[in-house]
């Protein structure tokens, strides 16, 4: 017997970053959109906890108990007095260390999968609570769709969307560490007075209406200068995507994946082909949004 859960990547259409707090974290106003690039998590009974991973980036995924999928299974088992004797297989299609919350997706996916396998029937509140304990981006991978995250990004408000948006994601040749990007943000903003992060009303309206042009005009990412500072080659990728007709081009989350908003599905395919041919990225993929969160297949 096994259970498979499909879980999406995310793009931040707004990532507003506040000043570093005394605990080192930053308050955020984070507008998440779940996009159609997925990892699939399959869990099946085993003698002991074991993690395996397949896919182009599999070699970069830790298979020990630091893997967020393993941590999710251990947390659920502990809370319900169970032994986490489970084989977790991650079929990985979300780029690793790409700023698309792939590890977070695996955490949410493993949690939903183990809950179904073990019949623990945890409430939505309990699952969301465990997700928040695993990391700031994990609750969103559970709910999917579109949402505003505040606090460290983990307090979620679901947002309505009025239509589909078509994206291209350009994967970079190497990853970027999220903590390193925040450290670079702090360095670049040393001595600068940073305003409270707030969600853009224009952006929320654009999402609610499904208005691609308005969304393109409103997207923003306060981490982009820090990501570009650590990974200057991304500027060329962004320029190629714009030249190929992208309505907006931005770094996804902490990067280094870059995200391009297209007018429609056909436009996305054209931009992806141009990016792939440009030699400024490893691969380019099209993906539509929004898409549901962790879903049992
Ligand atoms: P975010 O967008 O949330 O900042 P990211 O997409 O940049 O995250 P991830 O792919 O989630 O980055 O992984 C970041 C690091 O977390 C990896 O380099 C890896 O060491 C570790 N990690 C833990 N669990 C996983 C997992 N299941 N898949 C991938 N990486 C994982």
């Amino acid at each position: 017997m096994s259970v498979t859960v499909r879980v999406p990547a995310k793009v931040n259409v707004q990532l507003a970053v506040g000043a570093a707090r005394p605990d080192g974290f930053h308050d955020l106003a984070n507008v998440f959109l779940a996009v159609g690039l997925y990892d699939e998590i399959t869990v099946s009974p085993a003698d002991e906890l074991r993690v395996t991973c397949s896919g182009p980036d599999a070699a970069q995924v830790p298979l020990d108990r630091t893997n967020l999928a393993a941590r999710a299974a251990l947390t659920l088992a502990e809370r319900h007095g169970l032994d986490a004797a489970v084989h977790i297989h991650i079929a990985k299609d979300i780029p690793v260390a790409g700023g698309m919350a792939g590890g977070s997706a695996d955490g949410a996916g493993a949690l939903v999968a183990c809950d179904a396998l073990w019949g623990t029937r945890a409430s939505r509140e309990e699952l969301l609570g465990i997700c928040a304990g695993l990391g700031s981006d994990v609750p969103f991978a559970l709910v999917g769709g579109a949402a505003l995250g505040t606090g460290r990004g983990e307090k979620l408000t679901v947002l309505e969307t009025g239509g589909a948006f078509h994206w291209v994601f350009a994967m970079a040749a190497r990853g970027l560490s999220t903590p390193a990007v925040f450290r670079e943000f702090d360095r670049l903003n040393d001595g600068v007075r940073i305003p409270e992060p707030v969600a853009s009303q224009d952006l929320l309206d654009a999402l609610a209406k499904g208005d691609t042009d308005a969304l393109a005009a409103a997207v923003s990412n306060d981490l982009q200068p820090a990501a570009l500072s650590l990974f200057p080659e991304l500027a060329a990728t962004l320029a190629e995507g714009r030249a190929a007709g992208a309505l907006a081009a931005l770094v996804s989350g902490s990067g280094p994946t870059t995200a391009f908003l297209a007018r429609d599905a056909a436009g996305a395919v054209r931009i992806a082909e141009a990016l792939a041919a440009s030699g400024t990225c490893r691969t380019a993929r099209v993906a539509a949004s929004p898409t549901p969160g962790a879903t049992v297949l």
Side-chain angles (χ1 to χ4, degrees), residues 127-207:
L127 293 177
L128 279 170
I130 294 174
C131 286
L134 292 172
S136 322
D137 288 349
V138 187
F140 179 68
L142 187 76
V143 301
L148 169 63
T150 52
R152 278 164 49 192
E154 80 289 0
K155 286 178 219 150
L156 281 186
T157 310
V158 170
L159 299 172
E160 295 305 321
T161 46
F165 299 102
H166 297 276
W167 295 91
V168 179
F169 295 96
M171 285 49 167
R174 60 181 167 93
L176 263 182
S177 140
T178 303
V181 175
F182 273 100
R183 280 195 300 275
E184 183 67 359
F185 174 89
D186 291 338
R187 195 184 70 80
L188 292 175
N189 289 289
D190 191 26
V192 177
R193 211 198 135 271
I194 299 177
E196 285 289 298
V198 283
S200 148
Q201 193 56 50
D202 287 349
L203 183 99
L204 300 183
D205 291 346
L207 285 176

Side-chain angles (χ1 to χ4, degrees), residues 10 61-62 66-68 92 95-103 106 137 178 254:
K10 59 87 183 167
V61 175
T66 63
N67 190 299
L68 278 174
K92 196 151 202 50
V96 174
M100 299 191 79
D106 300 343
D137 288 349
T178 303
S254 56

